[in-house]
Amino acid sequence: MYDVVIIGAGVVGSLAARLLSKFSLSVCVLEKENDVAMGATKANSAIVHAGFDAKEGTLKAKLNVKGSQMMPKICAELGVDYKNNGSLVIGFSDEDKRTITELFERGQKNGVKGLEILDKAALSEKEPNISKNAVCALYAPTGAIVSPYELAIAAMGNAMDNGAELKLDFEVKSIEKEGEAFVISSDTEAVSAKYVINAAGIFADKIAKMIGDNSFEIHPRRGEYILLDSECGSLVSHTIFTTPTKMGKGILVSPTVHNNLLLGPTSEDVEDKTDKATTEQGLENVLNSTGKSVENIPRNKAITSFCGLRAVGDTGDFIINSPLVGFINLAGIESPGLSASPAIAEYALELLENQGLKITEKADFNPIRKSAHYFKNASIEEKNEIIKKDKSFGRIICRCETVTEGEILEAIRTNPKPHDLDGIKRRTRAQMGRCQGGFCSPYITEILARELDIPIEQVTKCGGKSIINIGKTKEEIQND
Amino acid sequence: MTELVIIGGGPAGMSAAVAAYDSGIRDILILERDTALGGILQQCIHNGFGLHKFGEELTGPEYAARYEKMVFERKIPYKLGTMVLDITEDKVITATNTEDGIFQIKAKAIILAMGCRERPRGALNIAGTRPAGIYTAGTAQKFVNMKGYMPGKNVVILGSGDIGLIMARRMTLEGAKVHAVCELMPYSGGLARNIEQCLNDFNIPLKLSHTVTKIHGKERLDGVTIAKVDENRKPIPETAEYIPCDTLLLSVGLIPENELSKTAKVELSGVTSGAIVDQNRQTNISGIFACGNVLHVHDLVDFVSDEAEIAGKSAAEYIKGKAENKINIPIKTDGKIRYSVPQVITEEKDITVYFRVSDVFYNVKVNVKNEKGEAVFTKRRPKVAPGEMESITLKKKQIIGSKELFMELEAVK
Amino acid sequence: MRRNLTCIVCPMGCSIDVEIENGEVKSISGNTCPRGAEYAKNECISPVRTITSTVRCADGSVIPVKTDKPIPKDKIFECMKIINNTTPALPISAGDVIIKDVYGSNIIATGGK
């Protein structure tokens, strides 16, 4: 029996696992997909919000501000890219000015440091490419950007290196209470635990219902994004917001930690929790809206587009509670979920302790994980030292992002281990450049087949039926 | 210091190396990222190469082999498995391979011959899911022809340029069913010959003025929605049609691979995405030359070889200390002529100017005028098309005295 | 009967008109070289095609091959079957005959290993 089972290996579940792995506890994370970070964690705005947006006194507000303060240290320990680039909420009218003043005051109440209201001249000095129609802005110097899926991957990997277990392809179908223990079952396996953390994202309500908690619903709200070539990465240096509405923080323009330019998200309530298709209209909306905030966004420099589903709780705030002794909900984690995630993990631990969980710190807990991109950041001399020991670091596989075979091999061999092209993509950045894998994917397919000791025809893009090649040439192809 | 470093060992790089050697240069080094010379020709196993150059119809590998033989015979040095990472304005090249690690070479002259890459799905903003089964035509070609794997068996192709047409035939020969080739424009970008032998031979429908508007399928492609487009190339929703398929091949544009040119501060053309060059194929940086697909996308490799010879010879002259040119005559184009290579003339001599047009035009005159509006050259053409590179040869006497040249297409009554 | 064809012999792709009467070619126009005329005649009477493909070698790798002469167009897939059922041993040089006499042509390697 595990001390704690966490359902969901997104950024919340992964950071919770890492925190718990500090202590002498047996921890197991159950993840329905074949990899970590497969839900909203890999399809969001990648922003660590300053914390002025959420209503004062809410969990969103408290945990956002705390999470944003915790983030730099966690990213440094885990070797995850993080940049404190600052945020700007821009306004075009008197009404916007009023909203911006409200956000300023709210931010003060929430404990956000350094907030300033800028006039047109000051705004234009900070961001020369901002729309000429912008008349004012809220400047939040503590706003930052991060690589969200790398944060989850690194947190989970660090948790596993410190003793936590990860079970992928484990879709929870039922949870029974048997005496002291929760018995959590998939179609083929069952695990038992004293405590359960429900971090199941868009399906958190489904999991809660399994123990009889019908108190909340999670409904999906779609957000579509367009990512532009790294050529465009310095069009703006801050994350640019417009004033928020009921549906969310609006469509923004932001550099990413990898120097791309991210446009989006749209905000649309949908029915299907599994439909992650982008739409013609959605992508068009992204291009049109962002054109209003920032001048000269080159429409023809898109390299990819994608869609994420926000897990929107029906209470308006994060749903963090304990409906049953030993069971913690970390549900409704929509924006500012990423920003709050380190603080959510700590709050979850607090709740567990209140319920009787005894914790003793491990003497040998190692919070440090080598950055996935240490080679890229090394000097030529350091790189050549590494190449001397391991030639595979001298062979470039991904031309666009300059990723070596050595880095790809390391990613394949490091917790949490990837099994497919997308998993390698998220860990190494190979296939994320301007050619989107056109050059490197045949080589990565070969490397993966070799390392996993599987035939090339079994290599997939993202598990399941997503095979890259249906077979060898010269074999009979059945046409159905 | 190496006298001449050539970035890329494909047809352009090899031809340039041979031309430089034959002009007297010995200290040459070709840097090639693949495990063999030949570039993209290695995977172009179809024929159609070499008719102009060798009077024979060769396959890609056979054409490449002709030049490899010339390189080997001359013992021109080359490094394989070597990726160039950076080139500075003063011609210091940083490269990496497994044997040497990361190393630097200072060159007296550099020839850029890096070829081009393919535009991916993301650049077109095609809506829908992101399943496996979507490949650019060249990547699929690599799987089939170099690695021996079939990307899929029920195929739709977007883009009727030659690569798309060639892959329609290739996939069909290997047992796949190609359901349609969709082409955004009202005309195909590929050779008429390829429409015939790649599509008509196999009854593969060519749907002009059509595009893919949505991609379906969770893990692997299930199908695509296609639609007709209007005169502004916008999809007409009422014409939407779903085609079940497991493979979508994209042949939607080749982009000269100029990341390294940018590190060297080489000035690029916004139209070709390749360097701006003079008749010697020299860029704005003295001693840096460009040729082949990295300069502008070619239809026939024979012309790549010709162009690379010019670059090779010119680099040799540069190394031998030829005097810098004093004149600078820019060539402007009228838009119907999309671009010219060279874009600037720096020597008064006979010059062949290559160009591409922006649309299909019948019965036109190619006119060249100077800055005074005086006609210096004219040539009639019964038909010009975007998919076929054209050329004119300006005589020295037609160039002398001009400060600027303008190229235009004029309709003939 | 008039028939219009696109010649495939070289990248020019000339548009050729052929006049046929009683199964015999009466006239050919539009070609810019004699090979075009030859192609047009054959295309109307008994069309042929050059096949380029790959063959799988004994070690599992693939090398490029072609028919050294055009073969009847209606035998394309039979020819592919024959190529696909052959697994030549290495080493192979470009120009080597991999399979003899396939519908009047030989299958030769266009690359080596």
Side-chain angles (χ1 to χ4, degrees):
Chain A
M1 183 167 70
Y2 293 101
D3 291 311
V4 188
V5 153
I6 301 170
I7 303 175
V11 69
V12 170
S14 302
L15 283 170
R18 180 189 181 238
L19 180 60
L20 293 175
S21 74
K22 249 194 199 149
F23 310 102
S24 303
L25 300 166
S26 56
V27 178
C28 183
V29 182
L30 306 175
E31 167 54 50
K32 134 182 202 294
E33 304 288 349
N34 80 332
D35 198 357
V36 171
M38 293 293 275
T41 298
K42 71 175 173 68
N44 58 72
S45 312
I47 299 169
V48 186
H49 296 285
F52 50 78
D53 186 87
K55 192 153 170 281
E56 49 271 37
T58 58
L59 283 176
K60 279 182 178 175
K62 284 190 265 192
L63 297 175
N64 181 168
V65 174
K66 182 152 182 250
S68 130
Q69 290 161 349
M70 294 171 70
M71 201 62 90
K73 178 159 183 263
I74 289 189
C75 289
E77 287 172 344
L78 293 176
V80 171
D81 290 325
Y82 166 93
K83 192 166 173 202
N84 181 204
N85 66 326
S87 305
L88 290 165
V89 181
I90 63 176
F92 300 91
S93 64
D94 286 335
E95 189 184 334
D96 284 344
K97 251 200 197 120
R98 283 193 286 276
T99 309
I100 281 172
T101 311
E102 263 176 55
L103 293 174
F104 175 83
E105 287 163 359
R106 194 185 298 164
Q108 307 273 58
K109 291 203 191 101
N110 288 343
V112 179
K113 307 259 185 297
L115 292 171
E116 256 183 79
I117 297 185
L118 306 179
D119 65 14
K120 193 183 168 97
L123 170 61
S124 160
E125 213 196 302
K126 273 209 186 330
E127 288 291 359
N129 286 314
I130 214 85
S131 164
K132 301 278 173 283
N133 299 323
V135 297
C136 59
L138 174 66
Y139 171 49
T142 58
I145 49 180
V146 75
S147 180
Y149 46 86
E150 287 186 80
L151 177 59
I153 290 165
M156 184 63 73
N158 186 233
M160 291 166 79
D161 291 342
N162 282 298
E165 276 177 60
L166 171 66
K167 287 184 189 290
L168 298 169
D169 296 305
F170 193 116
E171 185 180 348
V172 174
K173 288 290 173 71
S174 69
I175 306 177
E176 307 288 336
K177 199 93 206 286
E178 278 175 23
E180 279 234 316
F182 290 94
V183 178
I184 305 137
S185 312
S186 69
D187 283 333
T188 51
E189 212 185 326
V191 297
S192 59
K194 285 200 216 116
Y195 298 90
V196 176
I197 295 179
N198 174 12
I202 205 130
F203 297 107
D205 53 351
K206 191 167 173 214
I207 299 291
K209 288 189 173 106
M210 291 179 190
I211 52 123
D213 177 13
N214 300 305
S215 66
F216 67 93
E217 297 286 329
I218 305 290
H219 85 262
R221 183 171 288 159
R222 173 166 65 202
E224 301 183 45
Y225 292 89
I226 295 178
L227 190 71
L228 301 187
D229 194 303
S230 56
E231 253 181 61
C232 312
S234 42
L235 196 64
V236 293
S237 59
H238 302 80
T239 299
I240 311 293
F241 297 88
T242 50
T243 51
T245 66
K246 271 201 299 291
M247 289 297 276
K249 296 185 174 69
I251 297 181
L252 52 90
V253 179
S254 183
T256 68
V257 288
H258 307 117
N259 296 314
N260 293 103
L261 196 67
L262 185 61
L263 310 178
T266 54
S267 188
E268 221 187 313
D269 288 322
V270 294
E271 290 306 316
D272 187 346
K273 285 186 177 181
T274 62
D275 179 9
K276 295 198 199 159
T278 52
T279 63
E280 275 177 89
Q281 193 55 64
L283 296 179
E284 194 56 40
N285 288 347
V286 170
L287 288 171
N288 291 337
S289 298
T290 48
K292 295 197 188 110
S293 312
V294 178
E295 318 240 309
N296 306 319
I297 296 181
R299 283 178 78 116
N300 63 348
K301 292 287 179 185
I303 61 174
T304 191
S305 48
F306 57 91
C307 170
L309 297 173
R310 304 168 182 78
V312 181
D314 53 0
T315 66
D317 196 1
F318 291 153
I319 299 169
I320 303 181
N321 56 30
S322 175
L324 198 62
V325 175
F327 190 96
I328 311 285
N329 281 321
L330 302 177
I333 312 297
E334 52 154 344
S335 184
L338 170 64
S339 318
S341 55
I344 295 174
E346 288 209 337
Y347 189 23
L349 178 61
E350 231 181 275
L351 293 174
L352 289 173
E353 284 186 275
N354 291 346
Q355 304 221 328
L357 178 71
K358 298 274 176 274
I359 55 171
T360 20
E361 276 191 42
K362 273 191 198 138
D364 59 347
F365 173 73
N366 181 8
I368 307 295
R369 175 175 160 105
K370 191 163 81 170
S371 167
H373 309 299
Y374 74 93
F375 184 81
K376 191 182 252 56
N377 298 327
S379 69
I380 291 187
E381 292 74 36
E382 288 166 340
K383 284 181 172 152
N384 277 331
E385 281 308 310
I386 295 168
I387 293 171
K388 257 197 215 110
K389 296 198 196 103
D390 184 347
K391 284 187 170 166
S392 67
F393 284 89
R395 181 183 175 212
I396 303 263
I397 299 291
C398 168
R399 164 75 195 111
C400 300
E401 297 290 318
T402 329
V403 182
T404 63
E405 181 173 14
E407 291 164 277
I408 292 172
L409 290 173
E410 237 174 19
I412 295 174
R413 299 168 184 164
T414 303
N415 283 331
K417 300 184 178 145
H419 311 285
D420 48 46
L421 296 188
D422 279 359
I424 291 177
K425 178 176 79 165
R426 285 186 292 270
R427 286 157 178 73
T428 64
R429 285 201 56 76
Q431 306 162 84
M432 276 182 163
R434 54 184 55 95
C435 88
Q436 291 284 293
F439 173 70
C440 63
S441 55
Y443 300 116
I444 300 178
T445 303
E446 281 181 323
I447 294 170
L448 197 53
R450 198 179 69 218
E451 284 290 300
L452 299 183
D453 198 21
I454 57 176
I456 287 191
E457 309 91 287
Q458 283 178 26
V459 173
T460 65
K461 180 177 187 286
C462 50
K465 297 200 194 74
S466 68
I467 49 169
I468 299 297
N469 288 299
I470 60 163
K472 292 194 168 79
T473 52
K474 322 302 170 186
E475 279 164 3
E476 275 305 318
I477 291 184
Q478 262 74 55
N479 256 316
D480 27 8
Chain B
M1 163 84 92
T2 303
E3 284 197 325
L4 177 61
V5 176
I6 300 176
I7 321 280
M14 290 193 287
S15 173
V18 167
Y21 184 98
D22 292 350
S23 303
I25 307 299
R26 293 290 175 271
D27 187 15
I28 304 174
L29 181 61
I30 303 173
L31 298 176
E32 167 55 50
R33 69 184 175 189
D34 203 340
T35 52
L37 297 174
I40 204 72
L41 289 178
Q42 295 175 86
Q43 64 185 61
C44 297
I45 62 158
H46 50 282
N47 54 16
F49 307 91
L51 219 60
H52 295 261
K53 214 65 185 140
F54 300 111
E56 292 175 62
E57 203 175 27
L58 304 173
T59 60
E62 286 168 323
Y63 189 98
R66 298 283 170 104
Y67 279 90
E68 272 177 281
K69 183 154 178 274
M70 293 185 226
V71 168
F72 298 154
E73 275 167 356
R74 290 159 179 71
K75 298 200 175 40
I76 297 175
Y78 59 91
K79 280 185 194 285
L80 300 174
T82 303
M83 181 79 77
V84 175
L85 302 170
D86 186 79
I87 306 175
T88 65
E89 246 176 303
D90 34 290
K91 305 192 209 96
V92 174
I93 295 153
T94 306
T96 180
N97 63 37
T98 54
E99 289 312 310
D100 306 309
I102 302 174
F103 59 96
Q104 290 187 322
I105 304 177
K106 172 120 178 77
K108 193 153 184 208
I110 297 176
I111 299 180
L112 305 170
M114 296 87 78
C116 57
R117 63 185 149 84
E118 300 178 280
R119 185 174 275 126
R121 173 241 178 127
L124 299 183
N125 275 336
I126 304 179
T129 50
R130 300 200 294 166
I134 303 166
Y135 309 91
T136 50
T139 304
Q141 190 180 55
K142 187 172 203 120
F143 273 121
V144 176
N145 294 341
M146 302 297 289
K147 308 289 179 190
Y149 288 92
M150 274 305 268
K153 59 188 178 187
N154 281 298
V155 185
V156 169
I157 299 179
L158 177 61
S160 68
D162 289 317
I163 309 178
L165 300 177
I166 290 289
M167 283 312 288
R169 177 176 66 181
R170 189 77 189 97
M171 295 295 283
T172 305
L173 287 180
E174 289 292 343
K177 175 112 180 93
V178 178
H179 296 274
V181 174
C182 294
E183 167 56 55
L184 182 70
M185 303 304 277
Y187 52 80
S188 163
L191 299 171
R193 159 199 218 205
N194 284 333
I195 305 277
E196 193 58 35
Q197 63 184 359
C198 298
L199 299 190
N200 296 348
D201 271 8
F202 304 101
N203 294 318
I204 297 171
L206 172 63
K207 291 176 171 308
L208 296 175
S209 297
H210 274 74
T211 193
V212 172
T213 56
K214 193 150 183 163
I215 289 174
H216 308 260
K218 226 174 227 140
E219 293 167 349
R220 176 87 196 195
L221 187 66
D222 281 334
V224 296
T225 303
I226 68 169
K228 195 154 196 281
V229 299
D230 61 23
E231 59 285 354
N232 295 316
R233 307 215 269 279
K234 295 273 170 269
I236 304 166
E238 303 77 49
T239 65
E241 189 193 330
Y242 178 74
I243 305 182
C245 58
D246 69 356
T247 308
L248 174 64
L249 297 189
L250 301 171
S251 166
V252 293
L254 294 176
I255 305 167
E257 186 65 80
N258 277 292
E259 303 321 309
L260 292 175
S261 316
K262 286 185 206 156
T263 65
K265 308 272 199 301
V266 166
E267 207 186 328
L268 301 180
S269 152
V271 181
T272 59
S273 298
I276 293 173
V277 294
D278 67 8
Q279 70 288 340
N280 298 325
R281 301 305 184 272
Q282 183 165 227
T283 67
N284 64 310
I285 310 268
S286 235
I288 298 186
F289 301 79
C291 58
N293 277 351
V294 81
L295 178 57
H296 57 144
V297 176
H298 289 256
D299 321 302
L300 295 181
V301 73
D302 307 60
F303 298 146
V304 166
S305 302
D306 286 345
E307 179 165 80
E309 276 171 45
I310 298 173
K313 283 192 189 119
S314 307
E317 295 304 299
Y318 173 86
I319 289 166
K320 288 188 254 179
K322 181 179 164 195
E324 279 301 296
N325 299 308
K326 295 276 171 24
I327 64 166
N328 188 298
I329 307 174
I331 302 177
K332 302 245 156 71
T333 56
D334 71 345
K336 290 209 193 85
I337 296 185
R338 222 165 55 86
Y339 73 83
S340 74
V341 167
Q343 295 93 337
V344 67
I345 295 176
T346 59
E347 248 181 284
E348 280 162 353
K349 63 180 199 189
D350 293 356
I351 289 173
T352 302
V353 179
Y354 297 85
F355 63 95
R356 277 195 195 273
V357 296
S358 60
D359 203 340
V360 181
F361 296 101
Y362 293 95
N363 283 328
V364 287
K365 277 198 281 195
V366 180
N367 295 333
V368 182
K369 299 188 170 138
N370 64 17
E371 73 283 0
K372 298 196 198 89
E374 296 158 355
V376 299
F377 174 97
T378 186
K379 181 174 173 187
R380 263 182 110 122
R381 300 285 294 122
K383 179 190 175 193
V384 287
E388 281 155 48
M389 201 184 303
E390 297 277 344
S391 68
I392 56 168
T393 301
L394 297 176
K395 296 274 175 213
K396 176 174 173 175
K397 64 176 197 277
Q398 289 165 323
I399 297 170
I400 283 180
S402 302
K403 292 211 179 63
E404 264 187 10
L405 292 175
F406 299 90
M407 285 181 70
E408 58 170 36
L409 280 189
E410 190 194 325
V412 175
K413 310 307 180 278
Chain C
M1 186 191 79
R2 278 214 118 180
R3 204 180 141 182
N4 175 265
L5 323 152
T6 304
C7 179
I8 64 167
V9 175
C10 91
M12 287 219 37
C14 298
S15 179
I16 301 182
D17 290 308
V18 186
E19 192 72 54
I20 310 168
E21 228 176 80
N22 300 326
E24 262 185 56
V25 171
K26 291 291 172 203
S27 77
I28 297 175
S29 63
N31 55 306
T32 57
C33 81
R35 291 195 303 154
E38 175 82 24
Y39 168 81
K41 182 159 152 245
N42 280 331
E43 193 66 6
C44 293
I45 315 278
S46 57
V48 293
R49 293 288 183 269
T50 299
I51 308 297
T52 54
S53 182
T54 53
V55 74
R56 177 154 273 112
C57 304
D59 72 339
S61 65
V62 289
I63 57 158
V65 296
K66 72 177 183 191
T67 53
D68 66 357
K69 288 190 201 61
I71 62 163
K73 185 178 167 192
D74 59 1
K75 297 283 182 235
I76 289 178
F77 287 100
E78 271 88 343
C79 175
M80 281 299 299
K81 257 206 195 87
I82 294 171
I83 295 173
N84 290 349
N85 284 325
T86 310
T87 316
L90 298 175
I92 295 173
S93 305
D96 286 355
V97 174
I98 306 291
I99 314 169
K100 270 190 155 73
D101 195 22
V102 179
Y103 300 109
S105 166
N106 292 327
I107 310 293
I108 63 170
T110 58
K113 196 163 186 237

